[in-house]
Amino acid sequence: MTGPYDLSRHDLDALLQGEPAFRSRQVWDALHKRAAWPAEMTELPGPLRDRLSSEIAPALTIVDRRLADDGETVKWAFDAGAGALVETVLMAYPDRVTVCVSTQAGCAMACPFCATGQGGFKRHLRAGEIVEQVAWAKRERPVTHVVFMGMGEPLANYDQSIAAVRRIHDDMGISARRLTLSTVGIVPGIRRLADEGIPVTLAVSLHAANDELRNELIPINRRYPLAVLAEACARYVATTGRRLSLEWAVIGGVNDRSQDADELAAFARPLGAHVNLIPLNETDGYHAPGRPRAAEFRARLSALGVNATVRVTRGAAIAAACGQLAGTPRPA
Ligand code: SAH
């Protein structure tokens, strides 16, 4: 199945052969700048519009759409075909509109505290399916930022994720500093990304800064342990000049002790990284830290010279928050 964003510019030229020369640019801009579907391109002659709507209809079908936080958070569940479900979350703030996109249906990383990881892997998404998620969000609000932090591990689907980054950057016009790619720490992917010439913000899901605990929380750490990860991160920072983000889901009694803060600080400081603390969204067997604990944890980091912010949770009521995207829409 081909969606509108599966076509390259060249493919579109071919599809519009015999039409006036300006058509290709016109349709391309309508798709990327306005996020219009062919059926809505009233500027096109009727027969052409009909042909395009049947040949390049959206690849994703909405199976669920729900709102939270007074309508400032929207979560979509899409059927990407053959029962592959993916979720996308839009978060509107006074000064920005961020969309969180999925790069895979499911995830193979199997992190035990993450609902996506627990559901297993279904398939990689195509770049066109990733870009289309941004388009769906653009149809609702003027998207200013895109975070690759939904279902899946973007660097385990490297080529399609990067093709999507390029399309969102080049054709939707969102600058590299407004694009964030989050990874569990696939080291070869981080190295390649540093050389792409498109300095997106890199976020690394750290969650533990000693190998023993990290092996448990992020199984891929066995393949790419902390020392190797730190080296790849340092190279990313040196090559791109961008500040690194480290994500730390604060899990009660697991990684919220003062020793954990000390280890985190020792990892973050040499990298000049900013730490995002995410109070855990509870899943089976893992609990959120008590409020004072999270505040203490942050205070300790700051005393150790590490900048940390606590991420404000969005969409928990509709299972749209970090680690809750399971691809299983519950009945309304
Ligand atoms: N696979 C990539 C992209 C997903 S980003 C990655 O892991 O970075 C999703 C973020 O939410 C990651 O930082 C992940 O560790 C975090 N997360 C997963 N489960 C969570 C939970 N239950 N509570 C809070 N954050 C969680």
Side-chain angles (χ1 to χ4, degrees):
M1 166 142 188
T2 308
Y5 304 95
D6 286 309
L7 300 184
S8 65
R9 185 68 203 281
H10 185 77
D11 295 334
L12 187 61
D13 286 344
L15 198 63
L16 294 173
Q17 215 179 15
E19 296 289 333
F22 65 86
R23 282 283 180 237
S24 182
R25 166 58 59 190
Q26 188 183 30
V27 171
W28 190 258
D29 284 347
L31 286 172
H32 294 89
K33 305 267 187 266
R34 270 168 38 214
W37 305 143
E40 299 157 350
M41 296 177 190
T42 49
E43 65 274 30
L44 301 180
L48 176 61
R49 192 162 70 225
D50 292 344
R51 181 164 74 85
L52 290 184
S53 353
S54 71
E55 289 180 9
I56 52 170
L60 304 175
T61 311
I62 299 182
V63 293
D64 192 49
R65 174 183 173 280
R66 51 186 75 193
L67 307 177
D69 308 315
D70 292 325
E72 300 298 280
T73 303
V74 184
K75 180 176 87 164
W76 290 265
F78 295 106
D79 184 348
L85 286 180
V86 296
E87 297 187 323
T88 305
V89 182
L90 178 153
M91 291 154 285
Y93 302 93
D95 61 333
R96 60 168 68 185
V97 176
T98 299
V99 58
C100 177
V101 297
S102 295
T103 54
Q104 299 176 318
C107 186
M109 296 297 115
C111 304
F113 57 93
C114 175
T116 310
Q118 291 311 291
F121 176 73
K122 185 99 182 182
R123 73 164 168 88
H124 294 301
L125 296 185
R126 302 186 307 272
E129 294 170 317
I130 302 171
V131 175
E132 194 180 306
Q133 295 170 59
V134 180
W136 280 102
K138 267 169 79 83
R139 293 166 67 83
E140 193 127 354
R141 301 273 190 133
V143 171
T144 59
H145 293 69
V146 179
V147 298
F148 288 65
M149 289 191 183
M151 298 169 75
E153 167 49 47
L155 297 184
N157 185 17
Y158 189 93
D159 291 340
Q160 300 300 312
S161 294
I162 296 313
V165 164
R166 290 198 180 284
R167 187 69 77 89
I168 293 164
H169 178 271
D170 297 351
D171 300 291
M172 288 180 161
I174 300 185
S175 71
R177 52 183 57 247
R178 292 172 169 213
L179 301 175
T180 299
L181 188 146
S182 182
T183 178
V184 289
I186 310 276
V187 164
I190 296 174
R191 293 198 183 119
R192 272 180 82 184
L193 187 62
D195 295 327
E196 291 285 349
I198 172 160
V200 299
T201 301
L202 180 67
V204 172
S205 295
L206 199 66
H207 308 323
N210 75 69
D211 282 314
E212 198 190 334
L213 179 58
R214 197 163 192 270
N215 285 345
E216 198 183 300
L217 295 177
I218 317 261
I220 200 81
N221 190 69
R222 292 167 194 274
R223 192 166 337 153
Y224 307 114
L226 286 161
V228 183
L229 177 59
E231 199 181 289
C233 289
R235 196 166 95 75
Y236 191 85
V237 171
T239 310
T240 62
R242 302 305 314 281
R243 191 167 69 161
L244 180 75
S245 287
L246 296 174
E247 291 159 286
W248 191 276
V250 193
I251 311 176
V254 173
N255 66 358
D256 65 343
R257 301 155 301 177
S258 45
Q259 180 199 331
D260 299 303
D262 296 351
E263 290 169 357
L264 168 54
F267 188 94
R269 222 179 13 227
L271 294 168
H274 178 88
V275 173
N276 271 313
L277 300 172
I278 317 171
L280 189 82
N281 297 303
E282 301 205 342
T283 49
D284 286 351
Y286 292 92
H287 302 287
R291 245 179 203 290
R293 200 101 202 88
E296 260 172 52
F297 193 85
R298 184 182 163 197
R300 189 164 181 103
L301 286 176
S302 128
L304 293 167
V306 174
N307 238 308
T309 46
V310 180
R311 185 176 290 170
V312 176
T313 297
R314 277 293 186 94
I318 53 171
C322 302
Q324 295 188 317
L325 302 182
T328 48
R330 298 165 305 181

